[in-house]
Amino acid sequence: MRPKVIAGNWKLNKDVGESEKLITELKAALKFPLEKTRVIICPPFTSLALARKLIEGTVIELGAQNMYIEDEGAFTGEISPKMLRSVGCTYVIVGHSERRQFFKETNELVNKKAKKALVSGLLPIICVGETLEEREKNITDQIVSVQVKSCLKDLSSSDMEKVIIAYEPVWAIGTGKNATPQQAQEVHQLIRKLVGQLYSWVVAEKVFIQYGGSVKPDNALELLKQPDIDGALVGGACLKADSFTSIIEAAVRSSQN
């Protein structure tokens, strides 16, 4: 069985002082064994260096919410993979739906970011997912298939062993709605089948596919028990230590069944 991967995307939340408080509370709460479960936090850029110091010696790993495709240059306001590595990041989220929606990121740019992350020693969490309009038109499979194929373009089989794919239905992000376990499983199964067609079933069986979209303590276990859901990309619920801990605990329990 693949381990579960629980990642907390803090988005535009928590200044340095608030970040220290949240991480301290999270460390105190994580007292149970984390068998077959990996935990990642993705604070804002301004808190990454502090977070790295605070999580040293714990099971918590560090990720960033975004990156640019160059190591340096005249790109005001951007952050390079080299910079992320220098503050201790292991992971980076690329192609989050909010980046696509508000900053007009395309599948092609997400693909470039994923490839740049990999050659820079970062593990990309590649996000895909349909809008409410697309789901209501019954074209979820088509939209997600195009995104997966485009975002994975030119990635090798060995690259895929380092990649995490996050399926996040856009209509469920920050809305309080979430896909049912069955709906989520169907799309996760589709993604795994696509990876099998693009590479091999051996690769498909190894790749981690997370669910993201209003994951909460009260729905986490049923989602994580689905055979093709390998974890969660958590938004709002990761901003409180007790909620995030409950989701992590659900991941541990789902791996024991």
Side-chain angles (χ1 to χ4, degrees):
M1 179 182 290
R2 292 174 297 274
K4 301 296 186 184
V5 183
I6 306 298
N9 176 16
W10 295 15
K11 306 188 181 183
L12 184 60
N13 295 288
K14 306 297 181 183
D15 61 21
V16 169
E18 293 166 338
S19 297
E20 182 173 8
K21 181 175 183 292
L22 177 55
I23 294 171
T24 300
E25 291 173 348
L26 182 60
K27 286 165 58 178
L30 288 175
K31 295 188 180 299
F32 44 81
L34 298 183
E35 297 177 7
K36 299 181 180 178
T37 304
R38 289 153 55 186
V39 177
I40 307 163
I41 58 171
C42 300
F45 292 131
T46 50
S47 294
L48 287 174
L50 170 68
R52 182 67 189 92
K53 291 179 181 179
L54 292 174
I55 64 175
E56 187 172 359
T58 74
V59 298
I60 304 170
E61 299 181 274
L62 188 63
Q65 299 176 24
N66 186 33
M67 53 159 265
Y68 193 54
I69 57 175
E70 300 290 345
D71 284 327
E72 55 188 22
F75 305 105
T76 301
E78 294 295 336
I79 301 291
S80 74
K82 179 181 177 183
M83 294 171 182
L84 297 181
R85 289 281 293 164
S86 74
V87 294
C89 286
T90 302
Y91 300 86
V92 61
I93 300 171
V94 296
H96 191 279
S97 64
E98 290 158 3
R99 298 295 310 175
R100 294 174 185 262
Q101 178 182 356
F102 300 123
F103 303 98
K104 310 306 177 188
E105 293 195 3
T106 62
N107 290 328
E108 291 72 25
L109 179 58
V110 175
N111 176 247
K112 289 179 180 179
K113 288 187 176 186
K115 288 189 284 191
K116 181 63 176 178
L118 287 162
V119 300
S120 302
L122 292 167
L123 308 180
I125 300 173
I126 303 173
C127 301
V128 299
E130 82 284 10
T131 65
L132 179 59
E133 181 181 6
E134 290 162 345
R135 175 162 280 272
E136 289 178 341
K137 288 182 177 178
N138 294 316
I139 56 173
T140 293
D141 288 8
Q142 178 184 334
I143 296 299
V144 172
S145 296
V146 168
Q147 289 177 338
V148 169
K149 291 175 182 178
S150 299
C151 292
L152 300 184
K153 183 180 178 182
D154 297 327
L155 268 61
S156 68
S157 294
S158 60
D159 287 334
M160 289 304 299
E161 294 187 16
K162 304 170 186 175
V163 162
I164 296 172
I165 300 173
Y167 166 60
E168 40 166 33
V170 180
W171 49 273
I173 297 173
T175 63
K177 300 178 181 179
N178 63 284
T180 65
Q182 181 181 359
Q183 288 174 320
Q185 165 59 21
E186 287 172 354
V187 181
H188 280 244
Q189 187 177 50
L190 167 70
I191 294 171
R192 199 172 303 283
K193 181 179 178 181
L194 283 170
V195 173
Q197 292 171 348
L198 293 169
Y199 298 92
S200 70
W201 192 246
V202 172
V203 172
E205 281 288 285
K206 291 181 179 179
V207 72
F208 292 96
I209 310 174
Q210 295 176 308
Y211 172 75
S214 294
V215 178
K216 302 182 183 69
D218 60 1
N219 64 23
L221 182 59
E222 289 305 311
L223 286 163
L224 294 168
K225 284 167 61 177
Q226 301 303 310
D228 289 297
I229 299 181
D230 304 317
L233 181 58
V234 184
C238 77
L239 299 176
K240 293 184 178 180
D242 57 349
S243 296
F244 195 45
T245 301
S246 294
I247 293 170
I248 296 167
E249 187 172 23
V252 174
R253 289 168 60 196
S254 71
S255 297
Q256 294 171 341
N257 295 333

